[in-house]
Amino acid sequence: MTEFGFYHLKTWPLERALPRLLERALAEGHRIVVMAGSDERVLSLDALLWTYDEASFLPHGTARDGSPARQPVLLTTLDENPNAATMLILVDGVRSDRGHDFRRVCDMFDGNDESAVVAARERWRAAKDAGHELVYW
């Protein structure tokens, strides 16, 4: 069964929370797909992961970089799993039909945006109705 974690971001923006979550997940041995809502967001996250901390390095790439199967963290807009990931991170309110392909799914949403919170509640209900284990952060 897939564990669905809902990350209600109120004090930290995505740009601060995502790199920390990726660091922990990689340390736990996960391969990860990060699914974003637009190509522009993928480019923004790609730049962020190169610059968020001078003392850290997060191995990652996009389809544009080639060899997506070799990327420990793959940033994409597509509902795919070309790098045999065990964790899926959803941002920008995107939905995946492939949640069952992962051990963990993390849905990160802006808790300061009421429409994002309402949409996250709908995704929570859908995951619950599908019988997934739910965790709220």
Side-chain angles (χ1 to χ4, degrees):
M1 178 183 309
T2 302
E3 176 188 289
F4 272 70
F6 286 81
Y7 290 74
H8 190 149
L9 303 175
K10 291 227 21 134
T11 56
W12 279 13
L14 176 71
E15 292 78 11
R16 188 167 174 205
L18 179 62
R20 304 302 186 262
L21 179 60
L22 291 172
E23 286 174 343
R24 284 194 312 265
L26 286 170
E28 292 172 5
H30 288 283
R31 292 179 64 79
I32 306 151
V33 169
V34 178
M35 187 174 155
S38 69
D39 290 330
E40 293 78 18
R41 177 65 123 175
V42 167
L43 291 174
S44 172
L45 293 176
D46 183 33
L48 168 74
L49 296 181
W50 287 115
T51 61
Y52 79 98
D53 184 346
E54 290 180 16
S56 295
F57 171 72
L58 280 169
H60 72 281
T62 68
R64 178 180 58 132
D65 299 320
S67 302
R70 297 183 65 204
Q71 301 295 343
V73 175
L74 180 68
L75 308 173
T76 185
T77 59
L78 302 176
D79 196 4
E80 62 182 353
N81 188 4
N83 63 338
T86 55
M87 178 184 276
L88 171 64
I89 298 177
L90 304 170
V91 300
D92 303 330
V94 297
R95 294 176 182 248
S96 172
D97 293 326
R98 300 178 59 119
H100 60 277
D101 291 346
F102 302 89
R103 277 192 279 151
R104 254 183 108 193
V105 174
C106 303
D107 186 319
M108 302 180 82
F109 62 96
D110 183 353
N112 298 305
D113 178 344
E114 186 57 33
S115 63
V117 172
V118 169
R121 287 184 186 133
E122 291 174 15
R123 293 189 304 274
W124 172 281
R125 280 190 289 277
K128 183 178 181 183
D129 291 346
H132 295 292
E133 177 185 341
L134 302 179
V135 178
Y136 176 81
W137 299 93

